[in-house]
Amino acid sequence: MSLKRTVVHTAQRWLVNPLGRKLPVTMLETTGRKSGLPRHTAIGGRRVGDAFWLVSEHGEHSDYVKNIKANPKVRLRVRDTWRDGTAVLLPDDDPIARLRQLPGGNSAAVRLLGTDLLTIRIDLA
């Protein structure tokens, strides 16, 4: 694992995600691929119609992406409302171009901190 990814992963695990669980930020719930338990990750992105778009900064190295690969059924909390959805990994999508369509602050952080960008679309039920 690269030093950059290790530092970012540690900060997200111990600071960003615990705060995100308490704040009204967008939260992705996946099912742990080993434990079968719900796993929550604070994410940034944008809803467009019946889909939510985001870019994973560490691509297939992210635990939530590994969970999606094992089970694409997810839940998404936007503000205080949870919605069921199905996550689709889009390795052929241009993540830099996609970030230009998503909220600027989060997109800048993903570009700065990311090591292996991957676009994800969540089709909402």
Side-chain angles (χ1 to χ4, degrees):
M1 182 182 292
S2 74
L3 177 61
K4 182 178 184 180
R5 192 167 59 230
T6 300
V7 170
V8 172
H9 174 77
T10 301
Q12 288 172 332
R13 182 173 186 179
W14 297 107
L15 179 65
V16 176
N17 285 340
L19 284 173
R21 289 183 193 103
K22 294 178 173 79
L23 299 173
V25 298
T26 304
M27 185 70 59
L28 176 66
E29 181 182 274
T30 60
T31 301
R33 64 195 175 281
K34 296 177 185 175
S35 69
L37 298 174
R39 299 295 182 206
H40 295 103
T41 304
I43 59 170
R46 173 172 285 146
R47 183 176 173 182
V48 179
D50 288 332
F52 187 90
W53 292 85
L54 68 137
V55 174
S56 169
E57 56 205 5
H58 302 303
E60 295 194 16
H61 301 287
S62 296
D63 286 331
Y64 73 91
V65 173
K66 292 175 185 176
N67 291 342
I68 288 169
K69 287 177 78 172
N71 180 358
K73 298 296 182 190
V74 299
R75 289 192 331 140
L76 184 70
R77 183 187 77 192
V78 178
R79 295 185 185 88
D80 289 328
T81 303
W82 285 95
R83 300 265 317 263
D84 292 330
T86 302
V88 180
L89 306 179
L90 301 168
D92 293 331
D93 190 70
D94 180 348
I96 299 297
R98 183 66 57 191
L99 285 170
R100 288 188 205 106
Q101 301 170 3
L102 301 177
N106 182 74
S107 292
V110 169
R111 280 193 301 271
L112 176 67
L113 301 173
T115 58
D116 188 20
L117 305 181
L118 174 66
T119 301
I120 301 170
R121 184 187 73 233
I122 300 172
D123 296 325
L124 301 170

